[in-house]
Amino acid sequence: MEVDCIPFSKTGYFSQLIVDYLDQKDHLKPFYNSFPELASFGPQLEQKSESFTPEQRDVLVKALRQQYEGIKISPATARHITMLESSNTFTVVTGHQLNLFTGPLYFLYKIISVINLCNELKNTYPERNFVPVYWMATEDHDFDEINYFNFKGKKIQWNKEASGAVGRLDNQGLEAVFNTFKQELGAGENADRLKELFDKAYLGHPDLTSATRYLVNEIFGDEGLVILDGDDVMLKKQFVPYIKKDLEQQLGFNAVSETIRGLEEFPERYGIQVNPREVNYFYLKDGLRERLDQQDQQFFVVDTGITFTAEALWKELEEHPERFSPNVITRPLYQEVVLPNLCYIGGGGELAYWLELKSFFEQMEVPFPILQLRNSVLLVSEKQAGKADRLNVRLPDLFLKQSSLINKKIREISNIDIDFGPQKEHLVKQFAGLYELAEKTDKTFLGAVKAQEVKQLKGLEKLEKRLLKAQKRKLSDHVSRLTGLQNELFPNQSLQERQMNFSELYLELGPGLIAELKEKLQPIPGEFLILRY
């Protein structure tokens, strides 16, 4: 694979908040501890060493071994789980929903980012051990977000009535999905491997959690990836004191609300990713995950008849911690309580809400992890690269909005000058003389001069647009081929990694796909990668 790159800020697909974070703007530094650089991990290691106890390690390892019971795991993963017993072992984590057949392509990039960073940290701090962890979002309840994946422009969807935590859903109905997918895949060695993966994962396991664990273990097990399910009673018992403290003092609501007010003071007017609630937990049972709320001294589960006094809620929390599910505000805290974690790797949206949480972590006396943006990649086939060469278009230009791309290219290839900039500049100079004349004779004439200037400038702009439109018609074949290429690489005018499923690439590249990506992706990405294969 040949590598090219483009700054994240130039892609047009990342928020100003993330661009400023990557640029390490001073005004954002109060919202995180350390920027993701290898030297930053030294202090982070010491901080986490002091806060994560041997008892927490024991619980973590017991929970992991129980979750992996009956599963054939790689020697590398087994070794990593054993390493977690040791006080000199730490984790790097990414989390993701249980999207059907991994969902969008960036799922691979997130996990490879974690694996590569662990390897780089081992080179930098050889006396320590680093374990890559994928946190399965088994407690999410938005089924419509995870029940499909895209394959060659078609939506492969699992139609099912669903409620409650998605990880607990049974896999009924996935045989029909498999049959549809098989027909789309066709024949061939790589197609057969994809069929086998889907079959064994989803038809060979009873629920979505176990299916996802199997699938991800098959893809990344040899890299030593450890897969963790937070829907675990042993792990949640450790989180009970934090839940109780938060509910009693509404720390999450108060701290995050204050942080949001701080972010809103900046002239950049960053969009706020998530807003906290007074109660940031769900009540969880089979088929049920509904928001917990409070009115006066009474707690209740929204849209149900379930209510608790404060005393009854504390009793429920102690006896059934597995029934309390953190929301987007408190899940990161839960993760950092139960793991010896140094760094969270996520997408732009994820980092945006993590940047709201530092004050909350401080009040809970839990170390705030380093936040790293995951790798982002545009994969371009040899055929597509050839099209770009024949169209004489640079691959980074394809990140432009389609109308801007077309206009830019038409101006480049047109045999006439469509830029009326010089004419506009000449017109402005002419009117400057008229303004001077009006100042010396009749100042009331200034308004008329201004109106005439605006009218003539608009006339030039209109003529420029008409000429550009005419050239587009004349060069329609070039425009059609250019937009066709961009639509291939940016499906639905979105990043490829947010639309395409890994199976399309696996059909072409086979088992070597993961190794190729692992080799080309950087442990700490500085730019958006363009890979030609």
Side-chain angles (χ1 to χ4, degrees):
M1 288 186 176
E2 295 181 23
V3 181
D4 199 353
C5 56
I6 178 174
F8 286 106
S9 59
K10 299 295 184 184
T11 66
Y13 287 98
F14 291 83
S15 70
Q16 190 60 48
L17 176 62
I18 296 305
V19 169
D20 286 354
Y21 174 68
L22 295 176
D23 286 343
Q24 302 184 60
K25 293 292 180 69
D26 287 341
H27 63 271
L28 285 179
K29 289 181 179 178
F31 299 94
Y32 60 92
N33 272 345
S34 300
F35 192 73
E37 298 168 327
L38 289 174
S40 303
F41 284 88
Q44 195 76 23
L45 279 161
E46 297 307 317
Q47 189 179 28
K48 197 66 182 184
S49 293
E50 293 171 1
S51 68
F52 201 72
T53 67
E55 290 75 21
Q56 286 171 291
R57 287 186 180 277
D58 288 344
V59 172
L60 172 62
V61 173
K62 285 177 184 175
L64 283 169
R65 284 182 173 149
Q66 182 172 291
Q67 290 180 20
Y68 272 96
E69 275 183 11
I71 298 172
K72 182 181 178 182
I73 61 175
S74 69
T77 296
R79 185 171 64 254
H80 277 160
I81 292 173
T82 299
M83 280 181 179
L84 284 167
E85 294 177 328
S86 170
S87 62
N88 71 341
T89 300
F90 300 86
T91 62
V92 175
V93 179
T94 193
H96 198 68
Q97 296 169 295
L98 306 191
N99 295 73
L100 188 61
F101 213 48
T102 75
L105 186 55
Y106 69 77
F107 176 78
L108 267 62
Y109 305 155
K110 292 177 88 169
I111 292 182
I112 292 171
S113 296
V114 167
I115 292 166
N116 281 349
L117 180 57
C118 283
N119 291 337
E120 189 67 17
L121 288 172
K122 183 62 177 176
N123 292 333
T124 308
Y125 302 93
E127 73 284 0
R128 311 278 191 158
N129 297 314
F130 304 92
V131 174
V133 173
Y134 160 48
W135 181 290
M136 292 194 292
T138 55
E139 295 179 38
D140 279 5
H141 60 265
D142 198 336
F143 181 67
D144 290 340
E145 288 187 0
I146 60 101
N147 69 341
Y148 70 94
F149 63 95
N150 297 316
F151 181 76
K152 294 186 176 180
K154 295 184 179 179
K155 189 175 185 178
I156 310 292
Q157 185 166 334
W158 180 18
N159 295 309
K160 180 185 178 74
E161 291 293 325
S163 61
V166 295
R168 301 184 182 188
L169 292 175
D170 64 60
N171 290 338
Q172 289 184 358
L174 281 171
E175 189 169 355
V177 176
F178 180 45
N179 289 333
T180 300
F181 187 37
K182 278 196 300 185
Q183 291 176 1
E184 296 293 336
L185 279 170
E189 186 177 343
N190 292 338
D192 289 343
R193 173 57 177 152
L194 289 167
K195 293 171 192 174
E196 181 184 28
L197 267 177
F198 193 103
D199 186 5
K200 289 187 174 180
Y202 295 101
L203 307 188
H205 291 84
D207 55 54
L208 198 54
T209 293
S210 58
T212 303
R213 184 186 288 111
Y214 173 86
L215 177 64
V216 178
N217 186 61
E218 283 293 300
I219 298 173
F220 290 106
D222 289 343
E223 302 294 339
L225 182 70
V226 172
I227 302 164
L228 180 63
D229 179 5
D231 188 5
D232 185 289
V233 65
M234 284 191 284
L235 296 177
K236 285 191 174 177
K237 279 182 181 178
Q238 295 193 97
F239 196 48
V240 166
Y242 299 88
I243 298 176
K244 188 172 182 182
K245 183 178 179 181
D246 185 24
L247 290 174
E248 287 177 332
Q249 303 178 42
Q250 293 189 347
L251 293 180
F253 175 74
N254 294 327
V256 177
S257 296
E258 184 178 353
T259 298
I260 288 173
R261 286 192 292 272
L263 285 168
E264 288 178 334
E265 289 178 1
F266 300 130
E268 291 83 357
R269 298 295 298 172
Y270 299 127
I272 299 305
Q273 191 70 16
V274 295
N275 286 287
R277 298 181 179 275
E278 286 83 354
V279 178
N280 290 293
Y281 302 89
F282 292 90
Y283 191 69
L284 180 66
K285 283 187 174 181
D286 286 339
L288 174 71
R289 188 183 187 243
E290 291 292 345
R291 187 163 55 84
L292 188 66
D293 211 340
Q294 182 180 11
Q295 188 170 10
D296 299 324
Q297 297 302 309
Q298 193 85 359
F299 291 88
F300 62 95
V301 180
V302 175
D303 293 333
T304 73
I306 303 171
T307 61
F308 299 97
T309 63
E311 183 179 352
L313 188 72
W314 307 146
K315 186 173 186 291
E316 182 81 351
L317 181 59
E318 291 290 343
E319 294 179 356
H320 297 286
E322 73 279 4
R323 295 179 182 174
F324 292 79
S325 177
N327 73 354
V328 66
I329 295 293
T330 49
R331 191 214 64 81
L333 182 72
Y334 174 39
Q335 168 192 298
E336 297 301 311
V337 165
V338 301
L339 285 171
N341 193 46
L342 304 175
C343 176
Y344 184 78
I345 297 180
E350 291 175 283
L351 263 56
Y353 72 72
W354 272 90
L355 287 168
E356 299 177 21
L357 303 178
K358 183 186 172 212
S359 176
F360 179 37
F361 272 68
E362 289 172 345
Q363 293 192 28
M364 285 293 192
E365 299 181 337
V366 175
F368 194 63
I370 292 172
L371 304 178
Q372 178 177 307
L373 185 66
R374 65 168 172 81
N375 284 104
S376 278
V377 183
L378 174 66
L379 286 154
V380 183
S381 70
E382 185 178 345
K383 181 179 178 182
Q384 290 165 333
K387 287 181 182 179
D389 289 340
R390 288 190 292 275
L391 290 166
N392 196 28
V393 62
R394 295 171 58 252
L395 290 174
D397 284 345
L398 293 169
F399 284 82
L400 292 169
K401 299 299 181 188
Q402 193 158 93
S403 58
S404 300
L405 172 66
I406 293 169
N407 290 345
K408 181 177 187 295
K409 198 61 189 172
I410 291 299
R411 292 179 193 277
E412 285 178 6
I413 65 176
S414 178
N415 56 4
I416 59 174
D417 192 356
I418 310 177
D419 182 8
F420 281 15
Q423 289 85 349
K424 293 175 188 176
E425 187 178 341
H426 180 66
L427 186 66
V428 169
K429 287 180 180 178
Q430 285 184 317
F431 272 91
L434 288 175
Y435 282 125
E436 288 181 13
L437 181 63
E439 284 281 357
K440 292 175 181 177
T441 55
D442 186 355
K443 291 186 178 181
T444 61
F445 190 51
L446 286 171
V449 173
K450 181 64 177 175
Q452 191 62 223
E453 180 186 24
V454 170
K455 180 180 179 181
Q456 291 194 34
L457 283 171
K458 284 184 177 179
L460 280 174
E461 289 174 1
K462 189 174 181 181
L463 285 171
E464 186 178 24
K465 288 178 181 177
R466 287 187 64 182
L467 186 57
L468 184 62
K469 190 174 181 180
Q471 283 299 97
K472 286 180 186 177
R473 287 195 298 269
K474 185 177 179 180
L475 302 168
S476 59
D477 178 63
H478 194 99
V479 169
S480 176
R481 288 186 290 138
L482 182 63
T483 56
L485 175 61
Q486 189 186 51
N487 291 338
E488 283 181 27
L489 294 172
F490 294 83
N492 300 319
Q493 295 295 289
S494 177
L495 286 177
Q496 176 194 72
E497 63 186 30
R498 297 177 186 171
Q499 300 291 320
M500 184 186 290
N501 181 259
F502 85 98
S503 55
E504 283 190 50
L505 290 164
Y506 193 97
L507 271 182
E508 293 186 67
L509 301 174
L513 170 64
I514 300 300
E516 285 276 8
L517 290 173
K518 184 169 174 282
E519 179 186 347
K520 300 301 182 186
L521 271 56
Q522 298 298 311
I524 299 180
E527 294 185 297
F528 192 111
L529 293 185
I530 302 172
L531 299 183
R532 306 185 192 194
Y533 65 93

